Coordinates of all heavy atoms in Angstrom, one line a residue:
M1 N 179.8 1.4 -89.9 CA 179.4 0.0 -89.8 C 180.6 -0.9 -89.7 O 181.5 -0.8 -90.6 CB 178.5 -0.3 -90.9 CG 177.7 -1.6 -90.7 SD 176.4 -1.6 -92.0 CE 175.8 -3.2 -91.6
N2 N 180.7 -1.7 -88.7 CA 181.9 -2.6 -88.5 C 181.5 -4.0 -89.0 O 180.6 -4.6 -88.5 CB 182.2 -2.6 -87.1 CG 183.5 -3.3 -86.8 OD1 184.2 -3.7 -87.8 ND2 183.9 -3.4 -85.6
N3 N 182.3 -4.4 -90.0 CA 182.2 -5.8 -90.5 C 183.2 -6.7 -89.9 O 184.4 -6.3 -89.8 CB 182.3 -5.8 -92.0 CG 181.1 -5.2 -92.7 OD1 180.0 -5.1 -92.1 ND2 181.2 -4.8 -93.9
N4 N 182.9 -7.9 -89.6 CA 183.8 -8.9 -89.1 C 184.1 -9.9 -90.1 O 184.5 -11.0 -89.8 CB 183.3 -9.6 -87.8 CG 183.5 -8.7 -86.6 OD1 184.3 -7.8 -86.6 ND2 182.7 -8.9 -85.6
L5 N 183.9 -9.6 -91.4 CA 184.2 -10.6 -92.5 C 185.6 -10.8 -92.7 O 186.0 -11.7 -93.3 CB 183.5 -10.1 -93.8 CG 181.9 -10.1 -93.7 CD1 181.4 -9.6 -95.0 CD2 181.4 -11.5 -93.4
D6 N 186.5 -9.8 -92.3 CA 187.9 -9.9 -92.5 C 188.5 -11.0 -91.6 O 189.7 -11.4 -91.8 CB 188.6 -8.6 -92.3 CG 188.4 -8.1 -90.9 OD1 187.5 -8.5 -90.2 OD2 189.2 -7.2 -90.5
R7 N 187.8 -11.5 -90.6 CA 188.4 -12.6 -89.8 C 188.7 -13.8 -90.5 O 189.5 -14.7 -90.1 CB 187.4 -12.9 -88.6 CG 186.1 -13.5 -89.1 CD 185.2 -13.6 -87.9 NE 183.9 -14.0 -88.5 CZ 183.0 -14.7 -87.9 NH1 183.3 -15.2 -86.7 NH2 181.9 -15.0 -88.5
F8 N 188.1 -14.0 -91.7 CA 188.4 -15.2 -92.5 C 189.6 -15.1 -93.4 O 189.9 -16.0 -94.1 CB 187.1 -15.6 -93.3 CG 185.9 -16.0 -92.5 CD1 184.8 -15.1 -92.4 CD2 185.9 -17.2 -91.8 CE1 183.8 -15.5 -91.6 CE2 184.8 -17.5 -91.0 CZ 183.8 -16.7 -90.9
E9 N 190.2 -13.9 -93.4 CA 191.3 -13.6 -94.2 C 192.6 -13.5 -93.4 O 193.6 -13.1 -93.9 CB 191.1 -12.3 -95.0 CG 189.9 -12.3 -96.0 CD 190.1 -13.4 -97.0 OE1 191.2 -13.6 -97.5 OE2 189.1 -14.1 -97.4
T10 N 192.6 -13.9 -92.2 CA 193.8 -13.8 -91.3 C 194.7 -15.0 -91.7 O 194.3 -16.0 -92.2 CB 193.4 -14.0 -89.8 OG1 192.8 -15.3 -89.6 CG2 192.4 -12.9 -89.4
P11 N 196.0 -14.8 -91.4 CA 197.0 -15.8 -91.7 C 196.7 -17.1 -90.9 O 196.9 -18.2 -91.4 CB 198.3 -15.2 -91.2 CG 198.1 -13.8 -91.2 CD 196.7 -13.6 -90.9
Y12 N 196.2 -17.0 -89.7 CA 195.8 -18.2 -88.9 C 194.7 -19.0 -89.7 O 194.8 -20.2 -89.8 CB 195.3 -17.8 -87.5 CG 194.7 -19.0 -86.7 CD1 195.6 -19.8 -86.1 CD2 193.4 -19.2 -86.7 CE1 195.1 -20.9 -85.4 CE2 192.9 -20.3 -86.0 CZ 193.8 -21.1 -85.3 OH 193.3 -22.2 -84.6
Q13 N 193.7 -18.3 -90.2 CA 192.6 -19.0 -90.9 C 193.2 -19.7 -92.1 O 192.8 -20.8 -92.4 CB 191.6 -17.9 -91.3 CG 190.4 -18.5 -91.9 CD 189.4 -19.3 -91.0 OE1 189.5 -19.1 -89.8 NE2 188.6 -20.1 -91.5
K14 N 194.0 -19.0 -92.9 CA 194.6 -19.6 -94.1 C 195.5 -20.8 -93.8 O 195.5 -21.8 -94.5 CB 195.3 -18.6 -94.9 CG 194.4 -17.5 -95.5 CD 195.2 -16.5 -96.3 CE 194.3 -15.5 -96.9 NZ 195.0 -14.5 -97.7
Y15 N 196.2 -20.7 -92.6 CA 197.1 -21.8 -92.3 C 196.3 -23.0 -91.8 O 196.6 -24.2 -92.1 CB 198.1 -21.4 -91.2 CG 199.0 -22.5 -90.7 CD1 200.0 -22.9 -91.5 CD2 198.8 -23.0 -89.4 CE1 200.8 -24.0 -91.0 CE2 199.6 -24.0 -89.0 CZ 200.6 -24.5 -89.7 OH 201.4 -25.5 -89.3
R16 N 195.4 -22.8 -90.9 CA 194.6 -23.9 -90.3 C 193.5 -24.5 -91.2 O 193.2 -25.7 -91.1 CB 194.0 -23.4 -89.0 CG 195.0 -23.0 -87.9 CD 195.9 -24.1 -87.5 NE 195.2 -24.9 -86.5 CZ 195.6 -26.0 -86.0 NH1 196.7 -26.6 -86.5 NH2 195.0 -26.7 -85.1
F17 N 193.0 -23.7 -92.0 CA 191.9 -24.1 -92.9 C 192.2 -23.7 -94.4 O 191.6 -22.8 -94.9 CB 190.6 -23.5 -92.5 CG 190.2 -23.8 -91.0 CD1 190.4 -22.8 -90.1 CD2 189.8 -25.0 -90.6 CE1 190.2 -23.0 -88.7 CE2 189.5 -25.3 -89.3 CZ 189.7 -24.3 -88.3
P18 N 193.1 -24.4 -95.0 CA 193.5 -23.9 -96.4 C 192.4 -24.2 -97.4 O 191.6 -25.2 -97.2 CB 194.7 -24.8 -96.7 CG 194.6 -26.0 -95.8 CD 193.9 -25.5 -94.6
D19 N 192.3 -23.5 -98.4 CA 191.4 -23.6 -99.4 C 191.8 -24.8 -100.3 O 192.9 -24.9 -100.9 CB 191.3 -22.4 -100.3 CG 190.1 -22.4 -101.3 OD1 189.3 -23.4 -101.2 OD2 190.0 -21.5 -102.1
T20 N 190.9 -25.9 -100.3 CA 191.3 -27.1 -101.1 C 191.3 -26.8 -102.6 O 192.0 -27.6 -103.3 CB 190.3 -28.2 -100.8 OG1 189.0 -27.8 -101.1 CG2 190.4 -28.6 -99.3
Q21 N 190.7 -25.8 -103.1 CA 190.7 -25.5 -104.5 C 192.0 -24.9 -104.9 O 192.3 -24.8 -106.1 CB 189.5 -24.7 -104.9 CG 188.2 -25.4 -104.8 CD 187.1 -24.5 -105.2 OE1 187.2 -23.4 -105.4 NE2 185.9 -25.1 -105.2
D22 N 192.8 -24.4 -104.0 CA 194.1 -23.8 -104.3 C 195.2 -24.8 -104.6 O 196.2 -24.5 -105.2 CB 194.6 -22.9 -103.2 CG 193.8 -21.6 -103.0 OD1 193.1 -21.3 -104.0 OD2 193.9 -21.0 -102.0
K23 N 195.0 -26.1 -104.2 CA 196.0 -27.1 -104.5 C 195.9 -27.6 -105.9 O 194.9 -27.7 -106.5 CB 195.7 -28.4 -103.6 CG 196.2 -28.3 -102.2 CD 196.0 -29.6 -101.5 CE 196.8 -29.7 -100.3 NZ 196.6 -31.0 -99.6
E24 N 197.1 -27.8 -106.5 CA 197.2 -28.3 -107.8 C 197.4 -29.8 -107.8 O 198.2 -30.3 -107.0 CB 198.4 -27.7 -108.5 CG 198.5 -28.1 -110.0 CD 199.6 -27.4 -110.7 OE1 199.9 -26.2 -110.3 OE2 200.1 -28.0 -111.6
V25 N 196.5 -30.5 -108.5 CA 196.6 -32.0 -108.5 C 197.6 -32.4 -109.5 O 197.6 -32.1 -110.7 CB 195.3 -32.6 -108.8 CG1 195.3 -34.1 -108.8 CG2 194.2 -32.2 -107.8
N26 N 198.7 -33.1 -109.0 CA 199.7 -33.6 -109.9 C 199.7 -35.1 -110.2 O 200.5 -35.6 -111.0 CB 201.1 -33.2 -109.3 CG 201.3 -31.7 -109.4 OD1 200.8 -31.1 -110.2 ND2 202.1 -31.2 -108.4
R27 N 198.8 -35.8 -109.6 CA 198.7 -37.3 -109.7 C 197.8 -37.6 -110.9 O 196.7 -37.2 -111.0 CB 198.2 -37.9 -108.5 CG 198.2 -39.4 -108.5 CD 197.5 -39.9 -107.2 NE 197.3 -41.4 -107.3 CZ 196.3 -42.0 -107.9 NH1 195.4 -41.2 -108.5 NH2 196.2 -43.3 -108.0
F28 N 198.3 -38.4 -111.9 CA 197.6 -38.7 -113.0 C 196.9 -40.1 -112.8 O 195.7 -40.3 -113.0 CB 198.4 -38.8 -114.3 CG 197.7 -39.3 -115.5 CD1 196.8 -38.5 -116.2 CD2 198.0 -40.5 -116.0 CE1 196.2 -38.9 -117.3 CE2 197.4 -41.0 -117.2 CZ 196.4 -40.2 -117.8
S29 N 197.7 -41.1 -112.4 CA 197.3 -42.4 -112.2 C 198.3 -43.2 -111.4 O 199.2 -42.6 -110.9 CB 197.1 -43.1 -113.6 OG 196.6 -44.4 -113.5
T30 N 198.1 -44.5 -111.3 CA 199.0 -45.4 -110.6 C 199.6 -46.3 -111.6 O 198.9 -46.9 -112.5 CB 198.3 -46.2 -109.5 OG1 197.7 -45.3 -108.6 CG2 199.3 -47.1 -108.7
C31 N 200.9 -46.5 -111.6 CA 201.6 -47.4 -112.5 C 201.3 -48.8 -112.2 O 201.3 -49.3 -111.1 CB 203.1 -47.2 -112.4 SG 204.1 -48.2 -113.5
A32 N 200.9 -49.6 -113.3 CA 200.6 -51.0 -113.1 C 201.8 -51.9 -112.9 O 201.7 -53.0 -112.4 CB 199.8 -51.5 -114.3
G33 N 203.0 -51.4 -113.2 CA 204.2 -52.1 -113.0 C 204.8 -52.0 -111.6 O 205.0 -53.0 -110.9
C34 N 205.1 -50.8 -111.2 CA 205.7 -50.5 -109.9 C 204.8 -50.0 -108.8 O 205.2 -49.8 -107.7 CB 206.9 -49.5 -110.1 SG 206.4 -47.9 -110.6
N35 N 203.5 -49.8 -109.1 CA 202.5 -49.3 -108.2 C 202.8 -48.0 -107.6 O 202.4 -47.7 -106.4 CB 202.3 -50.4 -107.1 CG 201.7 -51.6 -107.6 OD1 200.9 -51.6 -108.5 ND2 202.0 -52.8 -107.1
E36 N 203.6 -47.1 -108.2 CA 203.9 -45.8 -107.8 C 203.0 -44.8 -108.5 O 202.4 -45.1 -109.6 CB 205.3 -45.4 -108.0 CG 206.3 -46.2 -107.2 CD 207.8 -45.8 -107.4 OE1 208.0 -44.8 -108.1 OE2 208.6 -46.4 -106.8
D37 N 202.8 -43.6 -108.0 CA 202.0 -42.6 -108.7 C 202.7 -42.1 -109.9 O 203.9 -42.0 -110.0 CB 201.8 -41.4 -107.7 CG 200.8 -41.8 -106.6 OD1 200.1 -42.8 -106.7 OD2 200.8 -41.1 -105.6
I38 N 201.8 -41.9 -110.9 CA 202.3 -41.3 -112.2 C 201.9 -39.8 -112.1 O 200.7 -39.5 -112.0 CB 201.7 -42.0 -113.4 CG1 202.1 -43.4 -113.5 CG2 202.1 -41.3 -114.7 CD1 201.5 -44.2 -114.6
S39 N 202.8 -38.9 -112.3 CA 202.6 -37.5 -112.2 C 202.1 -37.0 -113.6 O 202.4 -37.5 -114.6 CB 203.8 -36.7 -111.8 OG 204.2 -37.2 -110.5
V40 N 201.4 -35.9 -113.5 CA 201.0 -35.2 -114.8 C 202.3 -34.7 -115.5 O 203.1 -34.1 -114.8 CB 200.0 -34.0 -114.5 CG1 199.7 -33.2 -115.7 CG2 198.7 -34.6 -113.9
G41 N 202.4 -34.9 -116.8 CA 203.6 -34.5 -117.5 C 204.7 -35.5 -117.6 O 205.6 -35.3 -118.4
E42 N 204.5 -36.6 -116.9 CA 205.5 -37.7 -117.1 C 205.2 -38.5 -118.3 O 204.1 -38.6 -118.8 CB 205.4 -38.7 -115.9 CG 206.6 -38.6 -115.0 CD 206.4 -39.6 -113.8 OE1 205.5 -39.5 -113.0 OE2 207.2 -40.6 -113.8
E43 N 206.3 -39.1 -118.9 CA 206.1 -39.9 -120.1 C 205.5 -41.3 -119.6 O 206.1 -42.0 -118.8 CB 207.4 -40.1 -120.8 CG 207.8 -38.8 -121.5 CD 209.0 -39.0 -122.3 OE1 209.3 -40.1 -122.7 OE2 209.7 -38.0 -122.6
I44 N 204.4 -41.6 -120.2 CA 203.7 -42.9 -119.8 C 203.3 -43.7 -121.0 O 203.2 -43.1 -122.1 CB 202.5 -42.6 -118.9 CG1 201.4 -41.9 -119.6 CG2 202.9 -41.9 -117.6 CD1 200.1 -41.8 -118.9
L45 N 203.0 -44.9 -120.8 CA 202.4 -45.8 -121.8 C 201.0 -46.2 -121.3 O 200.8 -46.6 -120.2 CB 203.2 -47.0 -122.1 CG 204.6 -46.8 -122.6 CD1 205.4 -48.1 -122.6 CD2 204.6 -46.2 -124.0
I46 N 200.0 -46.0 -122.2 CA 198.6 -46.4 -121.8 C 198.3 -47.7 -122.5 O 198.2 -47.7 -123.8 CB 197.6 -45.3 -122.2 CG1 197.9 -44.0 -121.5 CG2 196.2 -45.8 -121.9 CD1 197.1 -42.8 -121.9
L47 N 198.3 -48.8 -121.8 CA 198.2 -50.1 -122.4 C 196.7 -50.4 -122.7 O 196.3 -50.8 -123.8 CB 198.7 -51.2 -121.5 CG 200.2 -51.1 -121.1 CD1 200.6 -52.2 -120.2 CD2 201.0 -51.1 -122.4
F48 N 195.8 -50.2 -121.7 CA 194.4 -50.3 -121.9 C 193.8 -49.1 -121.1 O 194.5 -48.4 -120.5 CB 193.9 -51.6 -121.3 CG 194.4 -52.8 -122.0 CD1 195.4 -53.6 -121.3 CD2 194.0 -53.2 -123.2 CE1 195.9 -54.7 -121.9 CE2 194.5 -54.3 -123.8 CZ 195.5 -55.1 -123.2
D49 N 192.5 -49.0 -121.2 CA 191.8 -47.9 -120.5 C 191.9 -48.2 -119.0 O 191.4 -49.2 -118.5 CB 190.3 -47.9 -120.9 CG 189.6 -46.7 -120.3 OD1 190.3 -45.6 -120.0 OD2 188.4 -46.8 -120.0
G50 N 192.7 -47.4 -118.3 CA 192.9 -47.6 -116.9 C 194.1 -48.3 -116.5 O 194.5 -48.4 -115.3
L51 N 194.8 -48.9 -117.5 CA 196.1 -49.6 -117.2 C 197.2 -48.8 -117.8 O 197.5 -48.8 -119.0 CB 196.1 -51.0 -117.8 CG 197.3 -51.9 -117.6 CD1 197.4 -52.2 -116.1 CD2 197.2 -53.2 -118.3
N52 N 197.9 -48.0 -116.9 CA 199.0 -47.1 -117.4 C 200.3 -47.6 -116.7 O 200.3 -48.0 -115.6 CB 198.7 -45.7 -116.9 CG 197.3 -45.2 -117.4 OD1 196.9 -45.5 -118.5 ND2 196.6 -44.6 -116.5
V53 N 201.4 -47.4 -117.4 CA 202.7 -47.7 -116.9 C 203.7 -46.6 -117.2 O 203.4 -45.8 -118.2 CB 203.3 -49.0 -117.4 CG1 202.4 -50.2 -117.0 CG2 203.4 -49.0 -118.9
H54 N 204.8 -46.5 -116.5 CA 205.8 -45.5 -116.8 C 206.5 -46.0 -118.1 O 206.4 -47.1 -118.5 CB 206.9 -45.5 -115.7 CG 206.5 -44.9 -114.5 ND1 206.3 -45.6 -113.3 CD2 206.2 -43.6 -114.2 CE1 205.9 -44.8 -112.3 NE2 205.9 -43.5 -112.8
D55 N 207.0 -45.0 -118.8 CA 207.7 -45.3 -120.1 C 209.1 -45.9 -119.8 O 210.1 -45.3 -120.0 CB 207.8 -44.1 -121.0 CG 208.2 -44.4 -122.4 OD1 208.2 -45.6 -122.8 OD2 208.6 -43.4 -123.1
D56 N 209.1 -47.1 -119.3 CA 210.3 -47.8 -118.8 C 210.1 -49.3 -119.0 O 209.0 -49.8 -118.9 CB 210.4 -47.5 -117.3 CG 211.8 -47.9 -116.8 OD1 212.3 -49.0 -117.2 OD2 212.3 -47.3 -115.9
Y57 N 211.2 -49.9 -119.5 CA 211.1 -51.4 -119.7 C 210.8 -52.2 -118.5 O 210.0 -53.1 -118.5 CB 212.4 -51.9 -120.3 CG 212.6 -51.6 -121.8 CD1 213.7 -51.0 -122.3 CD2 211.6 -52.0 -122.7 CE1 213.8 -50.7 -123.6 CE2 211.8 -51.8 -124.0 CZ 212.9 -51.1 -124.5 OH 213.0 -50.9 -125.8
D58 N 211.3 -51.8 -117.3 CA 211.1 -52.5 -116.1 C 209.6 -52.5 -115.7 O 209.0 -53.5 -115.4 CB 211.9 -52.0 -115.0 CG 213.4 -52.2 -115.2 OD1 213.7 -53.2 -115.8 OD2 214.2 -51.4 -114.7
C59 N 209.0 -51.3 -115.8 CA 207.5 -51.2 -115.4 C 206.7 -52.0 -116.5 O 205.7 -52.6 -116.1 CB 207.1 -49.7 -115.4 SG 207.8 -48.9 -114.0
L60 N 207.1 -51.9 -117.7 CA 206.3 -52.6 -118.8 C 206.4 -54.1 -118.6 O 205.4 -54.8 -118.8 CB 206.8 -52.1 -120.1 CG 206.0 -52.6 -121.3 CD1 204.6 -52.2 -121.3 CD2 206.6 -52.1 -122.6
K61 N 207.6 -54.6 -118.3 CA 207.8 -56.0 -118.0 C 206.9 -56.5 -116.9 O 206.3 -57.5 -116.9 CB 209.2 -56.4 -117.8 CG 210.1 -56.3 -119.1 CD 211.5 -57.0 -118.9 CE 212.3 -56.3 -117.8 NZ 213.7 -56.7 -117.8
K62 N 206.9 -55.7 -115.8 CA 206.2 -56.1 -114.6 C 204.7 -56.1 -114.9 O 204.0 -57.0 -114.4 CB 206.5 -55.2 -113.4 CG 207.9 -55.4 -112.8 CD 208.1 -54.4 -111.7 CE 209.6 -54.5 -111.3 NZ 209.9 -53.4 -110.3
A63 N 204.2 -55.1 -115.6 CA 202.8 -55.0 -115.9 C 202.3 -56.1 -116.9 O 201.2 -56.6 -116.7 CB 202.5 -53.6 -116.5
S64 N 203.2 -56.5 -117.8 CA 202.7 -57.4 -118.8 C 203.1 -58.9 -118.4 O 202.6 -59.8 -119.0 CB 203.4 -57.1 -120.2 OG 204.8 -57.3 -120.1
G65 N 204.0 -59.0 -117.5 CA 204.4 -60.4 -117.0 C 205.4 -61.0 -118.0 O 205.7 -62.2 -117.9
G66 N 206.0 -60.2 -118.8 CA 207.0 -60.7 -119.8 C 208.4 -60.8 -119.1 O 208.7 -60.2 -118.1
K67 N 209.2 -61.6 -119.7 CA 210.6 -61.8 -119.2 C 211.5 -60.8 -119.9 O 212.3 -60.2 -119.3 CB 211.0 -63.2 -119.4 CG 210.2 -64.2 -118.6 CD 210.7 -65.6 -118.8 CE 209.8 -66.6 -118.0 NZ 210.1 -67.9 -118.2
I68 N 211.5 -60.8 -121.2 CA 212.3 -59.9 -122.0 C 211.4 -59.2 -123.1 O 210.6 -59.9 -123.7 CB 213.4 -60.6 -122.7 CG1 214.4 -61.3 -121.7 CG2 214.2 -59.7 -123.6 CD1 215.4 -62.2 -122.3
I69 N 211.5 -58.0 -123.2 CA 210.7 -57.3 -124.2 C 211.7 -56.6 -125.2 O 212.5 -55.8 -124.8 CB 209.8 -56.2 -123.6 CG1 208.8 -56.9 -122.7 CG2 209.1 -55.4 -124.7 CD1 207.9 -55.9 -122.0
I70 N 211.7 -57.0 -126.5 CA 212.5 -56.4 -127.5 C 211.6 -56.0 -128.6 O 211.0 -56.9 -129.3 CB 213.6 -57.4 -128.0 CG1 214.5 -57.8 -126.8 CG2 214.4 -56.8 -129.1 CD1 215.5 -58.9 -127.2
A71 N 211.6 -54.7 -128.9 CA 210.8 -54.2 -130.0 C 209.3 -54.7 -130.0 O 208.8 -55.0 -131.0 CB 211.5 -54.5 -131.4
G72 N 208.7 -54.7 -128.8 CA 207.3 -55.1 -128.7 C 207.1 -56.6 -128.7 O 205.9 -57.0 -128.7
E73 N 208.1 -57.4 -128.7 CA 207.9 -58.8 -128.7 C 208.2 -59.4 -127.3 O 209.1 -58.9 -126.6 CB 208.8 -59.5 -129.7 CG 208.5 -59.2 -131.1 CD 209.4 -59.9 -132.1 OE1 210.1 -60.9 -131.7 OE2 209.5 -59.4 -133.2
E74 N 207.4 -60.3 -126.8 CA 207.7 -60.9 -125.5 C 208.4 -62.3 -125.7 O 208.0 -63.1 -126.5 CB 206.3 -61.2 -124.8 CG 206.5 -61.7 -123.4 CD 205.1 -61.9 -122.8 OE1 204.2 -61.1 -123.0 OE2 205.0 -62.8 -122.0
W75 N 209.5 -62.5 -125.0 CA 210.2 -63.7 -125.1 C 210.0 -64.6 -123.8 O 210.0 -64.2 -122.8 CB 211.7 -63.4 -125.3 CG 212.0 -62.8 -126.6 CD1 211.9 -61.5 -126.9 CD2 212.4 -63.4 -127.8 NE1 212.2 -61.3 -128.2 CE2 212.5 -62.4 -128.8 CE3 212.6 -64.7 -128.1 CZ2 212.9 -62.7 -130.1 CZ3 213.0 -65.0 -129.4 CH2 213.1 -64.0 -130.4

């Protein structure tokens, strides 16, 4: 008995129609300061639910609207 089920395992099939479940998602969220993607495993600060920024003074200043941030105080 001849099966043609192996036609879905050809390199052409895998190249043209990749399995979307094989991709690893590395995007965690979008930074509220610089509007760039935050990757999984990066150091971030979660200000509020859904408001995330990179662990960086510049991104934190842009997100909070502060001019200078020293030890958690806004000047």
Side-chain angles (χ1 to χ4, degrees):
M1 194 165 176
N2 189 3
N3 287 339
N4 282 336
L5 295 177
D6 61 342
R7 65 186 169 147
F8 297 109
E9 298 299 320
T10 63
Y12 174 80
Q13 183 74 18
K14 289 181 182 179
Y15 176 74
R16 297 297 275 170
F17 307 101
D19 188 5
T20 57
Q21 293 181 352
D22 288 342
K23 278 187 163 180
E24 184 177 331
V25 178
N26 290 330
R27 184 182 172 277
F28 175 74
S29 182
T30 304
C31 179
C34 65
N35 294 326
E36 292 182 6
D37 289 339
I38 297 174
S39 302
V40 174
E42 249 183 294
E43 293 186 18
I44 64 169
L45 298 172
I46 300 174
L47 301 178
F48 299 105
D49 187 30
L51 184 64
N52 307 316
V53 296
H54 289 110
D55 190 14
D56 189 325
Y57 281 125
D58 293 331
C59 290
L60 186 58
K61 285 192 300 188
K62 289 177 186 176
S64 66
K67 295 179 183 175
I68 300 173
I69 297 177
I70 300 173
E73 296 179 16
E74 183 178 329
W75 293 84

